[in-house]
Amino acid sequence: MKIQFHTIVQLSLFLCAVQPATAQLPSLSKAPWFGFFAGQQTTGCTLGVTSEGQIVFNPTKGSESPSGGWSFTFRPAIEEVTPDGKVVRRELDLTTLESAQPAEDQIEKLIFTGKVQGGAKMEVTVELNRNNFLIGGRVVDPGPNKNAKRIILVGQTPRFYGSYEDGGKTMTDEQKAIQERQDKAREKKVKGENLELKLLNGKTVKQSLLEPADLGSAEISGVGISEIGMDFEMFRGSSPSLIASPNSAFTLKFKKDARIFKNEIYIYWRPDPEKDPEGKARMAISPK
């Protein structure tokens, strides 16, 4: 059966038309940076920026890739305040991502831009300074409705010492017994380890990884967090901290009364748009 040339052309055009739009940031084509726009390994941390504008870092000492079982992820977004006072988060439109810089397997200072749903535009900056990664940005165009308030970073930790089994009712009795033994072994490993939070009011909160937590409470996230410290054995000698520069703060979202060692934490970094109109505030990743 012969297929006419014009039919092949039409089919090719159709397939191109139905393919999902891809990110505009260029991508490296060598290991371990496949799919990354930029990346850098330091003595205590490996960080990369994907071609989709997501920031990924692995705080494990000696890690060669930013991706892995202990990786943190952050994605930039914009918060808008509607006329009725409601705060709405707008996600990046990946087809609008742009940068004047080429893809590189190092980070000195890189800048990229992108629009969110609704038309507002952000500028994101990632730089390396004295072994610390500094991440921030600003709204460069509030969009047609002028509601854009600020850029935010939406992050997620790994599940720390917890397992990734499906669990639940699908587990057999034998699988449940194995899971129970694994949990007990992990509990012994993390005994005495704490998540250390420094609050904007000067107080310090040490939350045991084994005790029920309420990290999103008014007493913690309601006050605002300036530093998140994680001196955990799992990071093999690295003690990463996330630090909010002046005029910015963290809040956390966590399953109330759950235990940290088996669950991920959602981290939100926000600058104060009134105190930081030029977008100079930064979230620092310090491996220590």
Side-chain angles (χ1 to χ4, degrees), residues 158-211:
R159 204 177 290 188
F160 296 115
Y161 297 94
S163 59
Y164 283 79
E165 292 89 343
D166 289 335
K169 297 180 180 179
T170 61
M171 295 178 71
T172 64
D173 290 341
E174 183 179 0
Q175 289 172 326
K176 290 178 181 178
I178 293 173
Q179 178 74 65
E180 187 176 351
R181 289 197 297 270
Q182 290 176 338
D183 286 346
K184 287 182 178 180
R186 291 189 182 99
E187 287 180 15
K188 289 181 180 179
K189 184 178 292 187
V190 305
K191 187 176 181 180
E193 292 191 345
N194 301 288
L195 182 73
E196 187 167 312
L197 307 174
K198 294 182 180 179
L199 308 186
L200 294 183
N201 61 8
K203 294 183 178 180
T204 297
V205 175
K206 288 189 176 182
Q207 174 61 55
S208 167
L209 300 193
L210 294 177
E211 298 298 326

Side-chain angles (χ1 to χ4, degrees), residues 1 4 10 22 31 45 68 102 112 130 136 144 149 189 204 206 223 239 241 256 261:
M1 178 180 177
Q4 296 295 324
Q10 289 176 339
T22 57
C45 178
F112 65 89
R130 297 182 181 179
K149 182 179 182 181
K189 184 178 292 187
T204 297
K206 288 189 176 182
V223 173
S239 302
S241 291
K256 186 177 180 181
F261 93 108

Side-chain angles (χ1 to χ4, degrees), residues 44-47 56-61 63-72 235:
C45 178
T46 304
L47 181 141
V56 183
F57 77 94
N58 188 337
T60 307
K61 201 162 190 176
S63 58
E64 295 182 357
S65 171
S67 302
W70 311 131
S71 294
F72 291 62
F235 295 135

Side-chain angles (χ1 to χ4, degrees), residues 83-193:
D84 60 359
K86 184 178 180 181
V87 178
V88 179
R89 187 167 73 228
R90 303 293 188 188
E91 303 293 343
L92 266 173
D93 177 354
L94 301 184
T95 64
T96 67
L97 287 170
E98 294 180 326
S99 178
Q101 298 169 250
E104 290 188 278
D105 59 347
Q106 61 179 1
I107 295 175
E108 184 175 346
K109 182 176 183 179
L110 65 90
I111 298 173
F112 65 89
T113 62
K115 292 183 178 181
V116 298
Q117 300 129 359
K121 185 177 182 179
M122 71 171 75
E123 178 185 84
V124 181
T125 301
V126 182
E127 55 190 316
L128 181 62
N129 187 318
R130 297 182 181 179
N131 216 37
N132 299 317
F133 290 100
L134 308 178
I135 307 164
R138 61 194 180 100
V139 176
V140 294
D141 183 350
N145 58 24
K146 308 297 181 182
N147 291 336
K149 182 179 182 181
R150 61 184 161 201
I151 187 173
I152 68 168
L153 296 175
V154 182
Q156 183 175 347
T157 72
R159 204 177 290 188
F160 296 115
Y161 297 94
S163 59
Y164 283 79
E165 292 89 343
D166 289 335
K169 297 180 180 179
T170 61
M171 295 178 71
T172 64
D173 290 341
E174 183 179 0
Q175 289 172 326
K176 290 178 181 178
I178 293 173
Q179 178 74 65
E180 187 176 351
R181 289 197 297 270
Q182 290 176 338
D183 286 346
K184 287 182 178 180
R186 291 189 182 99
E187 287 180 15
K188 289 181 180 179
K189 184 178 292 187
V190 305
K191 187 176 181 180
E193 292 191 345

